[in-house]
Amino acid sequence: QKEVEQNSGPLSVPEGAIASLNCTYSDRGSQSFFWYRQYSGKSPELIMSIYSNGDKEDGRFTAQLNKASQYVSLLIRDSQPSDSATYLCASAMYSGGGADGLTFGKGTHLIIQP
Amino acid sequence: NAGVTQTPKFRILKIGQSMTLQCTQDMNHNYMYWYRQDPGMGLKLIYYSVGAGITDKGEVPNGYNVSRSTTEDFPLRLELAAPSQTSVYFCASSDRAGNTIYFGEGSWLTVV
C-alpha cells in the first residue's frame, strides 16, 4: 500500500527564519511529488510540484527530492505569519491506463511566530 | 475563473438519509476525484473517474456511489448516511494522470 509519512507537528518557526518540512514515501514507483498548503477551513492549494531529483525553487519556496532515499522536503525562506498553515505532501505514479489520483500524507502544521 | 465547484458547502443529515454532493469543473479535465478529510487525517480517496462513463473505487468507497455522465460533472451519492460519514468532502480534477490536481472548496457534512 502506498504511504506518505509526515511529522504532524506543530512545527514552530520564528518569523524571518527558514521553515523545513519533510516527507517520506513508501512506493519506489512514485514519479511525481507535490506540496499543498491548506489553511484551516479551506481547500488544499498547490505550492510546488517536483518530478526530478534535486532542488526546485519558486520564490521563497524550494522543494527537494531524493528518490534514492524516498524523501521530499519543502523549505520556506523568510517565513511570514501568513505561511502558518498545514502543509500536505503528496505523491503520484504515472500509470498509462488508470489515474488513481494522489496519495497524501496527514500534513504538518506549521506555525510562524511573529 | 470557476475551476472546480462543489455544492452544498454545508449540510446536516440524519442517520439513514441519502444525499448527493454535486461537483462540476469547467477546465475540460478528464480526471476527477472525490476525497474525504477527517480531522487530523490526510485526504482519503473515495472514488475517481478517468473520463465520462468510467469510474473506479478508491481507498474508502463503502457507503458511496458515483456516476460520470459528462466530462464536467462528477456527483457523489451517499446512501443511508452514517455518523462515520461525517467529514469534509473535496472534489478535485486533473488534466492527466500523475499531474497536479485542483480542488473544489469542500463540502462539510455532519450526520446526526
Side-chain angles (χ1 to χ4, degrees), chain B residues 56-102:
Chain B
D56 208 345
K57 296 178 181 179
E59 185 180 359
V60 290
N62 291 343
Y64 307 94
N65 277 300
V66 294
S67 59
R68 183 95 182 270
S69 57
T70 66
T71 298
E72 293 78 20
D73 300 309
F74 190 42
L76 178 71
R77 177 84 177 162
L78 281 73
E79 304 282 2
L80 299 174
S84 61
Q85 293 178 304
T86 294
S87 190
V88 183
Y89 292 84
F90 290 101
C91 181
S93 72
S94 177
D95 61 346
R96 58 184 173 87
N99 209 8
T100 302
I101 66 172
Y102 298 92

Side-chain angles (χ1 to χ4, degrees), chain A residues 17-78:
Chain A
I18 296 175
S20 177
L21 304 165
N22 305 311
C23 164
T24 59
Y25 60 95
S26 63
D27 194 333
R28 285 198 172 272
S30 297
Q31 299 285 336
S32 49
F33 304 88
F34 306 85
W35 283 100
Y36 284 81
R37 178 176 62 199
Q38 187 175 25
Y39 293 115
S40 181
K42 301 295 185 181
S43 61
E45 56 179 333
L46 181 71
I47 298 295
M48 295 278 289
S49 60
I50 186 166
Y51 304 93
S52 303
N53 277 329
D55 296 359
K56 178 181 178 182
E57 187 174 319
D58 184 1
R60 295 187 298 113
F61 299 94
T62 299
Q64 299 174 318
L65 173 60
N66 184 327
K67 289 187 177 181
S69 300
Q70 295 177 241
Y71 180 88
V72 191
S73 66
L74 178 71
L75 301 178
I76 307 174
R77 290 182 299 281
D78 188 24

Side-chain angles (χ1 to χ4, degrees), chain A residues 1 32 34 36 38 41-44 46 49 51 88 92-106, chain B residues 9 31 33 35 37 40-45 48-50 59 90 96-106 108:
Chain A
Q1 184 166 348
S32 49
F34 306 85
Y36 284 81
Q38 187 175 25
K42 301 295 185 181
S43 61
L46 181 71
S49 60
Y51 304 93
L88 303 172
M93 292 179 64
Y94 291 130
S95 51
D100 57 346
L102 306 185
T103 299
F104 285 87
K106 295 180 180 180
Chain B
K9 192 168 179 67
Y31 302 99
Y33 310 91
Y35 285 90
Q37 186 177 38
M41 303 295 289
L43 291 149
K44 300 292 186 183
L45 184 65
Y48 67 97
S49 170
V50 301
E59 185 180 359
F90 290 101
R96 58 184 173 87
N99 209 8
T100 302
I101 66 172
Y102 298 92
F103 287 90
E105 293 188 340
W108 274 253

